[in-house]
Amino acid sequence: MAELKERLLPPKPSFATATPAASNPQEPSAACAGHRPLFQGMDFLGLKKRGQGRRSWICVDSTTGGSQVIEVDKFTMMRRCDLPARDLRLLDPLFVYPSTILGREKAIVVNLEQIRCIITADEVFLLNSSDVYVLQYVAELQRRLTAHSVDALAGGSTPPDCLPFEFRALEVALEAACTFLDALVAELEIEAYPALDELTSKISTLNLEHVRRLKSRLVALTRRVQKARDEIEQLMDDDGDMAEMYLTEKKRRKEASFYSDQSMQGFGCIGAGVSVSAPVSPVSSPPEPRKLVEKNLSLARSRQEDSMKSSDNTENIEELEMLLEAYFVVIDSTLNKLTSLKEYIDDTEDFINIQLTFATSFSTDLVGSRNLYKLACLALKENWVKFTKLY
């Protein structure tokens, strides 16, 4: 019985019998010395440094329209544009993110297909790339900025219907993304419609495989176009996000508030009979007339700023909404082309299924008729044998 239990039960771990090398925690055992580390061959320090390393950016200035290539690290760009790290991650070429347009306090983060840039009130930063659409974006933005500068010099003032710099940069990005997606859709249409017509005329394994690959490309491209369309529509539906993207107006208000504070301090000192440059004792409190003047000025300034902010926000939101609506129509037209192509593929599949079903039923009926013919022949043969035996 004991031998049977030893064979059936698993061996017990020997905790009590420890070797001297294992009992000493400071001396590694032979097994531990030959053990490979868990993440051997992965350079985590190199990956960390790669994420924090310097990168090449194309900087386009708003006033001159000139461009220059600069190399800055991630933290410098975060401080310069007042952006969190997660927003810069959207622009990383090592990752694939869907189309995104984010409005922040001092910048607009744009990730639209090949165009990945940061737009501020004074400049645009693009990741330096040899992509054709990136180079076309820089050239088109410089052309429009130069034309705007020439018109301003010739007319002597800025046209009233002229968009601010950040909206012009955003418009060029939207135009480049819509052009890129429409070119992909046109290329897919040129290849797909003849392949579908050939499949309807000749059903073969090669044609079926070709259509299957085209359908996979169609699904992936539809997802990209749909995400870009949804992003533009989401911006149009949110007035707060559109108001947040007006960087030039926010910069102007901040500068006006700063100068107003400076003038208020000087006016308060003069109204109280105290020199601006005279030292003020930290113990003494300001007199009552000075407090009253400062209070009245602060109330008047706050009312004026609120009224200006509400009126300017409404006007600026309408400007941006009209811009987004124009490119929403373009991207929606591109999506309609993909929808029509998908419907054509579905109709072709239905037609092929009908053909295959008819061919299968016809072959089944043919086999059944052949079997009936054989049975009839056998029955006729048996009757003929019986008849010859009788006579």
Side-chain angles (χ1 to χ4, degrees):
M1 189 66 181
E3 294 179 358
L4 183 61
K5 288 174 70 175
E6 282 184 61
R7 282 185 305 191
L8 294 177
L9 295 177
K12 296 181 179 181
S14 56
F15 295 105
T17 60
T19 58
S23 62
N24 190 0
Q26 297 180 355
E27 296 180 2
S29 61
C32 293
H35 181 67
R36 296 180 60 187
L38 184 59
F39 299 107
Q40 185 176 6
M42 297 184 67
D43 187 9
F44 288 102
L45 184 60
L47 290 175
K48 184 178 179 181
K49 289 181 178 179
R50 189 186 308 170
Q52 301 174 359
R54 300 169 67 89
R55 285 188 176 174
S56 179
W57 296 80
I58 302 176
C59 178
V60 182
D61 187 66
S62 62
T63 55
T64 62
S67 63
Q68 59 176 343
V69 179
I70 59 174
E71 289 189 0
V72 294
D73 58 356
K74 184 177 182 180
F75 296 106
T76 304
M77 186 61 68
M78 288 167 56
R79 290 192 299 267
R80 185 168 181 173
C81 302
D82 195 14
L83 292 174
R86 62 178 177 271
D87 290 346
L88 288 181
R89 198 179 304 123
L90 296 173
L91 309 179
D92 198 331
L94 299 177
F95 301 101
V96 179
Y97 288 100
S99 298
T100 309
I101 302 175
L102 299 176
R104 299 305 186 199
E105 181 64 27
K106 295 183 180 180
I108 300 174
V109 181
V110 178
N111 178 18
L112 291 174
E113 294 300 326
Q114 306 297 325
I115 307 301
R116 301 185 178 191
C117 62
I118 302 173
I119 303 173
T120 65
D122 301 320
E123 50 199 359
V124 176
F125 298 98
L126 293 103
L127 284 173
N128 192 7
S129 173
S130 58
D131 189 84
V132 177
Y133 286 92
V134 175
L135 300 178
Q136 288 180 356
Y137 174 84
V138 175
E140 180 64 20
L141 182 59
Q142 288 178 336
R143 186 190 66 81
R144 296 189 184 186
L145 291 176
T146 305
H148 172 71
S149 301
V150 171
D151 293 341
L153 290 175
S157 61
T158 305
D161 57 345
C162 180
L163 293 173
F165 168 72
E166 61 271 16
F167 287 177
R168 282 179 283 160
L170 179 61
E171 182 182 7
V172 178
L174 288 170
E175 183 178 346
C178 292
T179 304
F180 176 71
L181 290 174
D182 193 69
L184 292 180
V185 173
E187 181 183 353
L188 182 62
E189 284 180 333
I190 292 173
E191 188 177 356
Y193 283 111
L196 292 170
D197 294 338
E198 185 179 358
L199 180 62
T200 55
S201 60
K202 180 182 179 182
I203 302 176
S204 63
T205 306
L206 184 62
N207 292 337
L208 287 171
E209 179 63 22
H210 189 196
V211 172
R212 186 193 65 82
R213 290 197 300 267
L214 291 174
K215 190 173 182 181
S216 299
R217 287 171 53 188
L218 172 67
V219 171
L221 187 56
T222 304
R223 191 182 300 115
R224 292 163 61 180
V225 175
Q226 183 72 46
K227 186 63 180 69
R229 178 187 178 276
D230 293 343
E231 189 67 23
I232 298 175
E233 187 178 14
Q234 183 180 357
L235 275 177
M236 289 169 38
D237 293 339
D238 197 331
D239 293 347
D241 288 346
M242 287 192 289
E244 192 72 19
M245 296 171 65
Y246 206 95
L247 306 179
T248 302
E249 183 64 25
K250 289 193 291 185
K251 181 182 177 182
R252 185 184 64 81
R253 288 178 189 151
K254 186 176 293 185
E255 292 176 353
S257 176
F258 174 75
Y259 292 130
S260 178
D261 290 339
Q262 295 292 330
S263 61
M264 271 183 53
Q265 290 179 3
F267 181 77
C269 293
I270 295 172
V274 181
S275 175
V276 179
S277 60
V280 180
S281 174
V283 180
S284 63
S285 60
E288 291 299 328
R290 181 180 173 185
K291 287 184 178 180
L292 185 60
V293 169
E294 289 182 356
K295 184 177 180 180
N296 292 334
L297 284 175
S298 63
L299 288 174
R301 188 188 66 179
S302 63
R303 290 173 184 172
Q304 184 180 5
E305 285 182 355
D306 291 340
S307 61
M308 289 177 58
K309 186 175 181 181
S310 60
S311 61
D312 289 345
N313 275 347
T314 305
E315 182 181 355
N316 297 334
I317 286 173
E318 290 178 357
E319 278 185 343
L320 181 57
E321 189 173 5
M322 291 176 63
L323 172 65
L324 294 174
E325 187 177 358
Y327 288 97
F328 177 79
V329 173
V330 175
I331 200 72
D332 190 65
S333 174
T334 304
L335 185 62
N336 289 335
K337 293 179 183 179
L338 293 174
T339 305
S340 301
L341 180 58
K342 183 179 182 303
E343 291 176 355
Y344 194 83
I345 291 177
D346 294 339
D347 294 342
T348 304
E349 290 179 349
D350 294 340
F351 178 73
I352 292 173
N353 289 331
I354 291 173
Q355 280 188 333
L356 293 177
T357 304
F358 176 75
T360 304
S361 61
F362 179 75
S363 61
T364 304
D365 295 340
L366 183 60
V367 171
S369 61
R370 286 179 180 177
N371 293 334
L372 289 175
Y373 177 73
K374 289 181 180 179
L375 291 175
C377 291
L378 291 174
L380 183 62
K381 185 177 181 180
E382 290 178 357
N383 293 332
W384 175 254
V385 170
K386 290 180 182 179
F387 179 78
T388 53
K389 286 182 179 179
L390 288 175
Y391 298 98

